[in-house]
């Protein structure tokens, strides 16, 4: 069995220490250990009080998620918690770190809870497509009220000790040593007449909440907005309603068990657990050992104070790293700095940032027009216009000023990293660090490995991403890397559908209904139509699928930046409004191209756009541009708004199955007259009955 619990007697207390590194989940050995040792403490006459704590820096990180796919050994969690709750000796939870999910639920079955300053509380099961299934939906509302409990469960947020104390989740925060404080608490309990405090017996909040039915409608409205398409939030709300409306605690627990089972069986739960583990797997690069030495990053520099450069500089400042922002001229620099200041002021005004952090972050951002001032930077990220000649010129300059050992990174969205590296005398120090817009908000960093990039540089860039609070994924070097290379194919399908008969709002609507955070044409409006149009005019090359965007640009419709593109926008609003002029433009372009428009279903839209992603993703795997198919999933979820509850495009592709994909591609060829050639990998998997999600390379 996995994990153990140690038993130690000190004074009149039995100390049960959960030991299951690194985060002490409730694995089989932990559950069995708790069950047996609570029993032992009950029988032990010298024991007056039981204290439960965790070894290392975590209390209990929740149920062991890795056990969900196999056969469960050891005592079931409900049996352990029942044993705790029926203890005749008081139990104190001495919470020394994360008490999440089943961890907090275990603490809620103790009579008292105290913690140290490092503790964190939460019921984040919703992020795994689950609900708190060990009494959390019934006990937390009884302890702190339904509204606060719903907020914690639906947001999955981590609550710090001071807030936990105010809410009433805990009874005390230890000022110094946690175990000393636990003993003192136990001593104090000895002097009380009725020391046992079982949450199941509390009813004050429950009675008050019966008069506030509006909180459930409000929670449903919020969940619809923030967790569109997800099933677990609705089931959580139902359970909390039961906690308020059903006086019999055990009947409430039965409702929780019923809904937990629904969650457990759902495909969303499987997809979200795939995301949980593979977000962490993305950091593991088979040919770069964990112990590869990292370079020290104390000072950073960013070249280009535009949309991306400003956001990247904010990421460094937010992580407490000094950063120098450089632009071609004072005007560009001033504009960039003003935008950064405005962003921070907005956070300050919304109460998301304290005055002291606001000042500290701004003071970490320096500015310069002089490359010499970048000489002591440990990492320099270039974020100037997407132009290879310009980027090469900048890297030549960097090569002459950057100190030896500095990492030279480019934020290019699609250009060849090796061509950029070749203009320097140190291609081993050159790497792609592709942030997503807005860089200070979006959680993804696509790290791009050049042919000569040193392993230490890759390891440092991946760790730096974590420090900047990003999920880092490694990609190989090819036009568009992983994310944008797939996006090109997705956009091609969307643009083709536009010519064949669908309107922007049909395509965006269908894909949003599928779960995408934003439709392709609303996204195109956000990025701006003019960049591509200018490039096409310069090169004299425009494909049929570009003709609608070209026509819109000719009519000065550049997207959100001037209030009209594939949609129109009211002043100060980002809400896309369908526009008849766009419809007539599309119809005119289609007719000029000799395309007879037809009615296109939402299913066809989703199938063609998502299949385009899957097929290109499979080619990316074949070519070793991604290490594993789950890396592609993580990129699409965190960088492109693919619904996490569908597991990412490759996970979704596996659900369809390689054989079915090929059959559907053939049907699409017949229906559309387009070529739908399956990637070799999909053909191979179809023959072997293989799985995309199991596909893994040793390197990119
Ligand atoms: N079960 C199994 N493994 C877990 C785990 C869990 N609950 N939580 C974390 N791990 C593993 C990770 O996969 C990782 O393994 P790896 O090193 O092999 O990749 C390792 O522990 C360390 O995790 P992190 O890299 O995430 O460590 P951090 O220090 O960054 O974060 C944490 C620690 C905040 C505890 C974070 O791991 C976390 O959020 N864990 C999940 C918490 C959670 O969702 N709990 C609810 C579980 S479901 C439940 O309890 C159901 C119940 O209601 C019945
Ligand atoms: P931008 O046009 O907003 O900013 C570019 C900045 O670079 C401007 O401030 C400009 O003055 C400055 N600049 C130009 N030449 C310079 C030089 N010689 N020296 C110093 N500064 C110079 O561009 P944006 O959108 O920030 O893009 C920058 C890079 O990031 C591009 O390579 C782009 O492909 C990439 N990128 C863009 C994303 C986006 O959504 N905008 C997303 C991810 C990557």
């Amino acid at each position: 069995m996995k994990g153990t619990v140690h038993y130690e007697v000190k004074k009149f207390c039995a100390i049960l220490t959960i030991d299951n590194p690194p985060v002490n989940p409730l694995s089989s050995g932990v559950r069995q250990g708790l069950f047996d040792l609570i029993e032992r403490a009950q029988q032990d006459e010298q024991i007056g009080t039981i204290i439960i704590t965790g070894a290392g820096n975590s209390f209990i990180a929740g149920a062991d998620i890795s056990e969900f796919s196999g056969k469960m050994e050891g005592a079931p969690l409900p049996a352990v918690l029942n044993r705790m709750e029926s203890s005749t000796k008081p139990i104190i939870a001495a919470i020394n770190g994360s008490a999440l999910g089943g961890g907090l639920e275990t603490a809620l079955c103790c009579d008292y809870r105290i913690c140290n300053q490092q503790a964190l509380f939460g019921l984040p099961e919703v992020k795994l497509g689950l609900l708190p299934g060990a009494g959390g939906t019934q006990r937390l509302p009884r302890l702190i009220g339904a509204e606060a409990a719903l907020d914690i469960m639906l947001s999955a947020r981590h609550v710090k000790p001071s807030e936990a104390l105010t809410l009433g989740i805990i009874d005390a925060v230890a000022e110094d040593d946690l175990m000393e404080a636990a003993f003192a608490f136990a001593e104090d309990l000895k002097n009380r007449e009725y020391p046992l405090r079982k949450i199941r017996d509390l009813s004050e909040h429950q009675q008050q909440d019966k008069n506030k039915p509006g909180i459930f409608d409000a929670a449903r409205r919020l969940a619809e907005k923030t967790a569109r398409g997800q099933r677990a939030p609705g089931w959580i709300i139902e359970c909390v309603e039961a906690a308020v409306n059903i006086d019999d605690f055990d009947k409430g627990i039965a409702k929780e068990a019923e809904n937990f089972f629904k969650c457990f069986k759902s495909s969303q739960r499987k997809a979200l657990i795939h995301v949980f583990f593979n977000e962490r797997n993305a950091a593991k690069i088979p040919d770069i050992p964990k112990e590869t030495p990292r370079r020290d990053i104390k000072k950073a520099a960013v070249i280009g104070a535009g949309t991306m450069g400003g956001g990247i500089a904010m990421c460094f400042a937010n992580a407490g790293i000094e950063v120098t922002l450089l632009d071609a001229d004072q005007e560009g620099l001033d504009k960039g700095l003003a935008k950064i200041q405005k962003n921070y002021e907005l956070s300050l005004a919304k109460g998301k940032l304290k005055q002291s952090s606001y000042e500290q972050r701004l003071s970490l951002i320096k500015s310069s027009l002089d490359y010499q001032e970048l000489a002591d930077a440990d990492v320099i990220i270039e974020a100037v216009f997407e132009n290879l000649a310009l980027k090469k010129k900048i890297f030549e300059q960097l090569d002459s000023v950057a100190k030896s050992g500095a990492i030279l990174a480019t934020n290019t969205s699609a250009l060849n990293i090796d061509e950029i590296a070749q203009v320097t005398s140190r291609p081993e120090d050159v790497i792609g660090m592709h942030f997503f817009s807005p860089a200070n908000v979006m959680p993804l960093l696509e790290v791009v490995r050049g042919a000569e990039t040193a392993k230490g540089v890759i390891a440092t860039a991946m760790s730096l991403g974590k420090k900047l609070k990003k999920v880092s994924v490694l990609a190989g070097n090819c036009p568009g890397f992983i994310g944008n290379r797939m996006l090109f194919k997705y956009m091609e399908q969307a643009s083709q559908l536009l010519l064949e008969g669908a309107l922007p709002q049909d395509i965006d609507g269908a894909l949003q209904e599928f779960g995408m955070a934003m439709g392709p044409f609303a996204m195109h409006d956000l990025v701006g139509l003019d960049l591509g149009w200018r490039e096409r005019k310069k090169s004299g090359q425009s494909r049929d699928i570009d003709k609608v965007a070209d026509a819109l640009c000719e009519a000065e419709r550049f997207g959100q930046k001037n209030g009209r593109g594939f949609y129109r926008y009211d002043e100060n609003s980002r809400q896309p409004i369908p526009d008849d002029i766009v419809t007539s433009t599309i119809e005119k372009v289609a007719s000029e191209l000799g395309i007879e428009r037809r009615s296109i279903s939402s299913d066809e839209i989703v199938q063609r756009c998502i299949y385009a992603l899957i097929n290109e993703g499979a080619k990316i795997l074949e070519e070793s541009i991604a290490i594993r198919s789950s890396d592609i999933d993580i990129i699409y979820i965190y960088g492109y708004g693919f619904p996490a509850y569908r597991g990412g495009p490759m996970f979704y592709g596996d659900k369809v199955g390689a054989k079915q994909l090929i059959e559907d591609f053939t049907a699409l060829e017949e229906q559309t007259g387009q070529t739908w050639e399956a990637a070799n990998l999909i053909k191979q998997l179809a023959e072997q009955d293989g799985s995309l999600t199991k596909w893994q390379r040793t390197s990119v």
Side-chain angles (χ1 to χ4, degrees), residues 303-309 326-328 332 371 382-386 390-391 394 411-413 434-437:
I303 303 182
T307 312
M308 295 306 291
L326 182 144
D327 205 280
Y371 275 80
E382 165 281 309
V384 303
F385 305 134
E386 186 75 341
L390 175 62
K391 287 187 193 281
I394 287 178
N411 183 49
T412 175
S413 341
H434 180 208
F435 291 76
F436 289 72
S437 181

Side-chain angles (χ1 to χ4, degrees), residues 202-416:
L202 303 178
S203 63
E204 199 182 321
H205 279 295
Q206 196 191 25
Q207 295 314 318
Q208 288 167 4
D209 287 337
K210 284 192 204 292
N211 302 317
K212 301 184 205 160
I215 56 180
F216 298 107
D217 290 338
R220 281 198 178 89
R221 277 196 302 274
L222 183 74
E224 222 147 84
K225 230 167 93 183
T226 56
R228 193 167 41 90
Q230 291 182 47
R231 316 230 28 211
W235 286 327
I236 289 176
I237 298 169
E238 267 181 33
C239 290
V240 178
E241 273 180 313
V244 169
N245 297 324
I246 304 175
D247 289 337
D248 183 339
F249 180 82
D250 292 325
K251 282 198 178 140
I253 287 284
K255 176 74 193 168
E256 181 188 90
E258 182 191 321
N259 282 9
F260 184 81
F261 188 60
K262 285 190 219 164
C263 288
F264 197 84
K265 277 196 318 188
S266 80
S267 58
Q268 295 195 350
R269 193 271 299 170
K270 290 181 193 115
L272 286 163
I273 285 182
H274 161 80
V275 175
F276 177 87
F277 282 119
N278 287 303
E279 179 184 328
R280 284 152 182 84
N281 274 341
K284 296 168 191 159
I285 304 165
D287 74 328
I288 302 184
K290 226 171 42 196
E291 52 283 357
T292 304
R294 267 77 171 156
R295 300 187 186 178
D296 216 12
I297 305 291
K298 291 211 178 76
K299 264 189 162 185
V302 177
I303 303 182
T307 312
M308 295 306 291
I312 297 169
M314 287 177 75
C315 293
F316 280 106
N318 296 350
I321 300 172
E322 187 183 310
V323 55
T324 302
L325 195 54
L326 182 144
D327 205 280
D329 54 37
Q330 194 62 43
E331 199 192 332
L333 206 49
D334 289 345
K335 229 169 103 185
L337 290 169
K339 176 97 190 288
I340 291 174
Q341 174 139 5
K342 200 172 147 210
N343 279 340
Y344 280 135
E345 275 167 7
L346 220 63
S347 302
L348 190 67
K350 285 186 188 159
K352 288 187 181 164
L353 199 63
K354 285 195 218 141
Q355 180 72 29
S356 55
S357 312
Y358 164 79
E359 284 164 16
Q360 191 228 5
R361 290 179 192 190
L362 276 179
S363 75
L364 285 169
I365 301 178
K366 319 278 179 208
S367 65
S368 177
L369 293 172
D370 181 1
Y371 275 80
Q372 287 304 330
E373 289 191 34
L374 312 186
D376 62 348
D378 301 302
V379 59
I380 304 176
I381 301 180
E382 165 281 309
V384 303
F385 305 134
E386 186 75 341
N387 175 311
L388 187 60
L390 175 62
K391 287 187 193 281
K392 282 181 169 175
K393 210 175 108 210
I394 287 178
F395 272 76
E396 271 169 9
Q397 266 171 291
L398 289 182
D399 194 26
S400 66
V401 294
K403 70 177 183 188
S404 151
I407 292 179
L408 309 182
T410 169
N411 183 49
T412 175
S413 341
L415 299 175
N416 189 330

Side-chain angles (χ1 to χ4, degrees), residues 540-562:
Q541 285 177 351
S542 177
R543 302 164 302 176
D544 286 355
I545 50 172
D546 299 319
K547 299 273 189 268
V548 172
D550 288 349
L552 294 175
C553 286
E554 298 293 350
E556 295 199 350
R557 299 184 71 106
F558 299 138
Q560 272 196 32
K561 61 177 77 166
N562 72 341

